[in-house]
Amino acid sequence: MDISTTSTEYSEQNFTNLINAGIVNVNKAEVVKKCDTIANAKQFLDSTFPLATGSHKDVRSYVVYYQQLLMFFADGTHTGLKDSGQFVALNGHKSEPEAILLRNNGTHVELSFDRCGETGNKDQAHIEDIRIEGHEYWISLLNIEHKRDIKRSQEATLFTAKDGEDYLLKG
């Protein structure tokens, strides 16, 4: 058993003990856990796909304007990616994309949006999931408990590249 496994098991046991003792409200703990997951995922975005100004945690909407990805904040200001070349494709309409595909060092990251989704309805930018491309699968940063079907991830997904051409992402 490695240290990370021991630490995780210890944390889970402590959490269970606190629940049993009535110290932790399970419903509130789940909300905090989900908020922490979203915050950590947005920190990942800030470090891997930094904005020219501001932070992904403050973004209210993601919009594609011509061939640029723009992020809008609550006060109406907007910004782009520090490296605009990291935005490669989208699914859906430019003004309200269903998904945005970013790339860093050859690895794709997909941001999917759903206002009514389990996660999207709690996030101010309506991000439902952030997934990182793996060798034969996608890794979800927000829906960790949902296992991705490897067969499905091997299917190609068609996006629209920022220049309007088809962008085929092989699983």
Side-chain angles (χ1 to χ4, degrees):
M1 186 179 323
D2 66 18
I3 293 174
S4 64
T5 305
T6 304
S7 175
T8 301
E9 288 174 359
Y10 178 76
S11 296
E12 288 175 4
Q13 183 59 46
N14 273 346
F15 190 70
T16 303
N17 290 342
L18 292 172
I19 291 170
N20 292 338
I23 296 171
V24 173
N25 179 318
V26 177
N27 295 330
K28 288 182 181 176
E30 287 303 314
V31 170
V32 169
K33 180 180 174 185
K34 188 59 105 174
C35 290
D36 288 346
T37 303
I38 292 169
N40 289 337
K42 289 190 176 189
Q43 282 180 336
F44 163 77
L45 291 175
D46 282 338
S47 64
T48 311
F49 304 100
L51 303 180
T53 58
S55 168
H56 285 277
K57 69 179 171 50
D58 300 319
V59 171
R60 290 292 186 129
S61 65
Y62 292 78
V63 174
V64 177
Y65 184 70
Y66 289 94
Q67 294 185 14
Q68 301 298 316
L69 177 61
L70 296 179
M71 284 61 75
F72 285 84
F73 300 103
D75 64 1
T77 61
H78 65 277
T79 189
L81 291 169
K82 195 172 199 174
D83 177 0
S84 63
Q86 290 180 308
F87 166 62
V88 293
L90 76 144
N91 268 340
H93 194 274
K94 289 182 174 188
S95 65
E96 199 169 331
E98 295 171 17
I100 290 173
L101 195 62
L102 306 172
R103 186 176 57 214
N104 184 50
N105 296 327
T107 300
H108 290 96
V109 174
E110 179 190 48
L111 281 69
S112 60
F113 303 93
D114 185 354
R115 291 179 179 276
C116 300
E118 184 180 327
T119 305
N121 70 8
K122 295 174 183 71
D123 181 62
Q124 65 184 2
H126 306 292
I127 295 176
E128 179 64 19
D129 202 1
I130 299 171
R131 299 183 313 144
I132 303 172
E133 179 183 33
H135 177 63
E136 293 183 0
Y137 50 87
W138 285 85
I139 301 166
S140 172
L141 296 182
L142 299 181
N143 299 310
I144 298 165
E145 64 279 356
H146 295 125
K147 301 293 182 200
R148 178 92 169 133
D149 181 13
I150 292 175
K151 180 181 176 190
R152 181 160 180 227
S153 71
Q154 292 174 341
E155 295 174 4
T157 304
L158 184 63
F159 285 84
T160 302
K162 63 183 175 180
D163 65 3
E165 297 292 319
D166 288 347
Y167 189 92
L168 188 62
L169 182 63
K170 296 180 181 175

